[in-house]
Amino acid sequence: MKNWLYTFYFFILGVISFITQEVVTFIMLGLVLVSLTNIHSTLKEILEVRKNEK
């Protein structure tokens, strides 16, 4: 996914959390999303390295 799509997701989550007054949930979902993005990027890098080794 592209960075603009992550920004869009954060915006949507922010609006929903503001309306429902669940700011802590917004922060936790944001942290989970950032962590999963980092894990995905790392796995893609490892896959690229393994493909280049063979």
Side-chain angles (χ1 to χ4, degrees):
M1 286 198 282
K2 306 288 184 218
N3 285 337
W4 68 269
L5 198 52
Y6 292 130
T7 305
F8 180 70
Y9 286 153
F10 275 123
F11 178 74
I12 295 298
L13 286 174
V15 169
I16 292 171
S17 70
F18 182 75
I19 292 171
T20 60
Q21 298 177 357
E22 296 276 344
V23 178
V24 174
T25 304
F26 172 68
I27 293 170
M28 295 306 293
L29 286 174
L31 290 174
V32 168
L33 186 60
V34 168
S35 298
L36 288 175
T37 303
N38 289 338
I39 291 169
H40 183 257
S41 298
T42 303
L43 288 174
K44 283 177 76 173
E45 289 175 10
I46 292 171
L47 180 64
E48 245 343 277
V49 169
R50 292 197 55 157
K51 279 184 180 179
N52 290 335
E53 288 178 354
K54 294 181 180 181

mmCIF file of all heavy atoms in Angstrom, residues 34-54:
data_model
loop_
_atom_site.group_PDB
_atom_site.id
_atom_site.type_symbol
_atom_site.label_atom_id
_atom_site.label_comp_id
_atom_site.label_asym_id
_atom_site.label_seq_id
_atom_site.Cartn_x
_atom_site.Cartn_y
_atom_site.Cartn_z
ATOM 1 N N VAL A 34 1.081 1.008 12.583
ATOM 2 C CA VAL A 34 2.483 1.344 12.326
ATOM 3 C C VAL A 34 3.361 0.117 12.521
ATOM 4 O O VAL A 34 4.273 -0.150 11.718
ATOM 5 C CB VAL A 34 2.937 2.510 13.237
ATOM 6 C CG1 VAL A 34 4.435 2.686 13.197
ATOM 7 C CG2 VAL A 34 2.234 3.793 12.811
ATOM 8 N N SER A 35 3.109 -0.663 13.561
ATOM 9 C CA SER A 35 3.900 -1.870 13.814
ATOM 10 C C SER A 35 3.743 -2.877 12.681
ATOM 11 O O SER A 35 4.730 -3.455 12.211
ATOM 12 C CB SER A 35 3.475 -2.524 15.124
ATOM 13 O OG SER A 35 3.706 -1.665 16.193
ATOM 14 N N LEU A 36 2.527 -3.086 12.226
ATOM 15 C CA LEU A 36 2.301 -4.025 11.129
ATOM 16 C C LEU A 36 2.946 -3.541 9.834
ATOM 17 O O LEU A 36 3.463 -4.346 9.052
ATOM 18 C CB LEU A 36 0.803 -4.244 10.926
ATOM 19 C CG LEU A 36 0.110 -5.062 12.012
ATOM 20 C CD1 LEU A 36 -1.388 -5.090 11.762
ATOM 21 C CD2 LEU A 36 0.666 -6.462 12.079
ATOM 22 N N THR A 37 2.950 -2.245 9.612
ATOM 23 C CA THR A 37 3.608 -1.689 8.432
ATOM 24 C C THR A 37 5.112 -1.942 8.486
ATOM 25 O O THR A 37 5.725 -2.320 7.479
ATOM 26 C CB THR A 37 3.328 -0.183 8.334
ATOM 27 O OG1 THR A 37 1.932 0.026 8.300
ATOM 28 C CG2 THR A 37 3.968 0.409 7.100
ATOM 29 N N ASN A 38 5.705 -1.753 9.658
ATOM 30 C CA ASN A 38 7.137 -1.999 9.809
ATOM 31 C C ASN A 38 7.472 -3.473 9.607
ATOM 32 O O ASN A 38 8.465 -3.807 8.957
ATOM 33 C CB ASN A 38 7.620 -1.535 11.180
ATOM 34 C CG ASN A 38 7.637 -0.039 11.295
ATOM 35 O OD1 ASN A 38 7.681 0.677 10.297
ATOM 36 N ND2 ASN A 38 7.573 0.455 12.512
ATOM 37 N N ILE A 39 6.654 -4.357 10.134
ATOM 38 C CA ILE A 39 6.872 -5.792 9.962
ATOM 39 C C ILE A 39 6.763 -6.162 8.488
ATOM 40 O O ILE A 39 7.593 -6.910 7.951
ATOM 41 C CB ILE A 39 5.861 -6.599 10.811
ATOM 42 C CG1 ILE A 39 6.167 -6.437 12.290
ATOM 43 C CG2 ILE A 39 5.881 -8.072 10.418
ATOM 44 C CD1 ILE A 39 5.093 -6.969 13.202
ATOM 45 N N HIS A 40 5.776 -5.620 7.812
ATOM 46 C CA HIS A 40 5.584 -5.906 6.384
ATOM 47 C C HIS A 40 6.773 -5.424 5.559
ATOM 48 O O HIS A 40 7.260 -6.137 4.677
ATOM 49 C CB HIS A 40 4.295 -5.242 5.910
ATOM 50 C CG HIS A 40 3.974 -5.519 4.487
ATOM 51 N ND1 HIS A 40 4.173 -4.605 3.505
ATOM 52 C CD2 HIS A 40 3.477 -6.624 3.886
ATOM 53 C CE1 HIS A 40 3.814 -5.116 2.344
ATOM 54 N NE2 HIS A 40 3.387 -6.342 2.556
ATOM 55 N N SER A 41 7.257 -4.232 5.854
ATOM 56 C CA SER A 41 8.418 -3.692 5.125
ATOM 57 C C SER A 41 9.659 -4.553 5.341
ATOM 58 O O SER A 41 10.410 -4.826 4.401
ATOM 59 C CB SER A 41 8.703 -2.261 5.565
ATOM 60 O OG SER A 41 7.609 -1.436 5.276
ATOM 61 N N THR A 42 9.868 -4.990 6.570
ATOM 62 C CA THR A 42 11.022 -5.817 6.882
ATOM 63 C C THR A 42 10.934 -7.161 6.162
ATOM 64 O O THR A 42 11.924 -7.639 5.598
ATOM 65 C CB THR A 42 11.124 -6.045 8.397
ATOM 66 O OG1 THR A 42 11.192 -4.783 9.048
ATOM 67 C CG2 THR A 42 12.347 -6.875 8.746
ATOM 68 N N LEU A 43 9.764 -7.768 6.152
ATOM 69 C CA LEU A 43 9.605 -9.053 5.457
ATOM 70 C C LEU A 43 9.820 -8.908 3.954
ATOM 71 O O LEU A 43 10.399 -9.798 3.323
ATOM 72 C CB LEU A 43 8.227 -9.637 5.748
ATOM 73 C CG LEU A 43 8.020 -10.168 7.156
ATOM 74 C CD1 LEU A 43 6.576 -10.587 7.353
ATOM 75 C CD2 LEU A 43 8.955 -11.321 7.445
ATOM 76 N N LYS A 44 9.394 -7.783 3.387
ATOM 77 C CA LYS A 44 9.622 -7.550 1.962
ATOM 78 C C LYS A 44 11.114 -7.412 1.668
ATOM 79 O O LYS A 44 11.601 -7.920 0.657
ATOM 80 C CB LYS A 44 8.871 -6.310 1.497
ATOM 81 C CG LYS A 44 7.387 -6.561 1.320
ATOM 82 C CD LYS A 44 6.648 -5.319 0.936
ATOM 83 C CE LYS A 44 6.898 -5.001 -0.522
ATOM 84 N NZ LYS A 44 6.042 -3.882 -0.979
ATOM 85 N N GLU A 45 11.855 -6.740 2.550
ATOM 86 C CA GLU A 45 13.305 -6.594 2.374
ATOM 87 C C GLU A 45 13.994 -7.949 2.468
ATOM 88 O O GLU A 45 14.889 -8.253 1.681
ATOM 89 C CB GLU A 45 13.877 -5.649 3.428
ATOM 90 C CG GLU A 45 13.503 -4.206 3.212
ATOM 91 C CD GLU A 45 13.972 -3.314 4.341
ATOM 92 O OE1 GLU A 45 14.751 -3.784 5.212
ATOM 93 O OE2 GLU A 45 13.558 -2.147 4.367
ATOM 94 N N ILE A 46 13.599 -8.771 3.425
ATOM 95 C CA ILE A 46 14.190 -10.104 3.576
ATOM 96 C C ILE A 46 13.912 -10.946 2.341
ATOM 97 O O ILE A 46 14.801 -11.657 1.842
ATOM 98 C CB ILE A 46 13.654 -10.792 4.850
ATOM 99 C CG1 ILE A 46 14.174 -10.076 6.086
ATOM 100 C CG2 ILE A 46 14.032 -12.273 4.870
ATOM 101 C CD1 ILE A 46 13.534 -10.536 7.386
ATOM 102 N N LEU A 47 12.708 -10.872 1.811
ATOM 103 C CA LEU A 47 12.359 -11.612 0.602
ATOM 104 C C LEU A 47 13.211 -11.170 -0.582
ATOM 105 O O LEU A 47 13.681 -12.004 -1.351
ATOM 106 C CB LEU A 47 10.875 -11.425 0.282
ATOM 107 C CG LEU A 47 10.360 -12.138 -0.960
ATOM 108 C CD1 LEU A 47 10.483 -13.650 -0.784
ATOM 109 C CD2 LEU A 47 8.920 -11.746 -1.233
ATOM 110 N N GLU A 48 13.434 -9.867 -0.713
ATOM 111 C CA GLU A 48 14.266 -9.346 -1.802
ATOM 112 C C GLU A 48 15.694 -9.864 -1.683
ATOM 113 O O GLU A 48 16.294 -10.282 -2.681
ATOM 114 C CB GLU A 48 14.301 -7.837 -1.730
ATOM 115 C CG GLU A 48 13.717 -6.983 -2.790
ATOM 116 C CD GLU A 48 13.418 -7.586 -4.131
ATOM 117 O OE1 GLU A 48 14.323 -7.682 -4.964
ATOM 118 O OE2 GLU A 48 12.261 -7.902 -4.364
ATOM 119 N N VAL A 49 16.242 -9.881 -0.482
ATOM 120 C CA VAL A 49 17.610 -10.367 -0.268
ATOM 121 C C VAL A 49 17.699 -11.839 -0.606
ATOM 122 O O VAL A 49 18.653 -12.280 -1.265
ATOM 123 C CB VAL A 49 18.051 -10.092 1.195
ATOM 124 C CG1 VAL A 49 19.336 -10.822 1.517
ATOM 125 C CG2 VAL A 49 18.205 -8.599 1.425
ATOM 126 N N ARG A 50 16.718 -12.610 -0.193
ATOM 127 C CA ARG A 50 16.734 -14.063 -0.470
ATOM 128 C C ARG A 50 16.597 -14.348 -1.949
ATOM 129 O O ARG A 50 17.191 -15.293 -2.458
ATOM 130 C CB ARG A 50 15.648 -14.752 0.318
ATOM 131 C CG ARG A 50 15.964 -14.718 1.820
ATOM 132 C CD ARG A 50 15.166 -15.684 2.550
ATOM 133 N NE ARG A 50 15.369 -17.010 1.971
ATOM 134 C CZ ARG A 50 15.164 -18.135 2.615
ATOM 135 N NH1 ARG A 50 14.771 -18.080 3.849
ATOM 136 N NH2 ARG A 50 15.332 -19.284 2.035
ATOM 137 N N LYS A 51 15.818 -13.556 -2.660
ATOM 138 C CA LYS A 51 15.673 -13.747 -4.100
ATOM 139 C C LYS A 51 16.988 -13.439 -4.820
ATOM 140 O O LYS A 51 17.325 -14.104 -5.798
ATOM 141 C CB LYS A 51 14.582 -12.826 -4.657
ATOM 142 C CG LYS A 51 13.193 -13.345 -4.454
ATOM 143 C CD LYS A 51 12.188 -12.416 -5.137
ATOM 144 C CE LYS A 51 10.784 -12.922 -4.957
ATOM 145 N NZ LYS A 51 9.806 -11.996 -5.597
ATOM 146 N N ASN A 52 17.718 -12.446 -4.345
ATOM 147 C CA ASN A 52 18.977 -12.058 -4.981
ATOM 148 C C ASN A 52 20.099 -13.039 -4.680
ATOM 149 O O ASN A 52 21.080 -13.104 -5.412
ATOM 150 C CB ASN A 52 19.388 -10.647 -4.544
ATOM 151 C CG ASN A 52 18.476 -9.598 -5.124
ATOM 152 O OD1 ASN A 52 17.844 -9.796 -6.155
ATOM 153 N ND2 ASN A 52 18.382 -8.471 -4.444
ATOM 154 N N GLU A 53 19.991 -13.803 -3.582
ATOM 155 C CA GLU A 53 21.018 -14.794 -3.240
ATOM 156 C C GLU A 53 20.995 -15.981 -4.179
ATOM 157 O O GLU A 53 22.013 -16.602 -4.426
ATOM 158 C CB GLU A 53 20.838 -15.272 -1.797
ATOM 159 C CG GLU A 53 21.224 -14.256 -0.764
ATOM 160 C CD GLU A 53 20.981 -14.747 0.647
ATOM 161 O OE1 GLU A 53 20.396 -15.850 0.809
ATOM 162 O OE2 GLU A 53 21.365 -14.047 1.582
ATOM 163 N N LYS A 54 19.835 -16.345 -4.685
ATOM 164 C CA LYS A 54 19.706 -17.558 -5.506
ATOM 165 C C LYS A 54 20.063 -17.310 -6.942
ATOM 166 O O LYS A 54 20.166 -16.378 -7.524
ATOM 167 C CB LYS A 54 18.287 -18.095 -5.417
ATOM 168 C CG LYS A 54 17.975 -18.585 -4.028
ATOM 169 C CD LYS A 54 16.575 -19.141 -3.955
ATOM 170 C CE LYS A 54 16.312 -19.611 -2.542
ATOM 171 N NZ LYS A 54 15.009 -20.168 -2.375
#
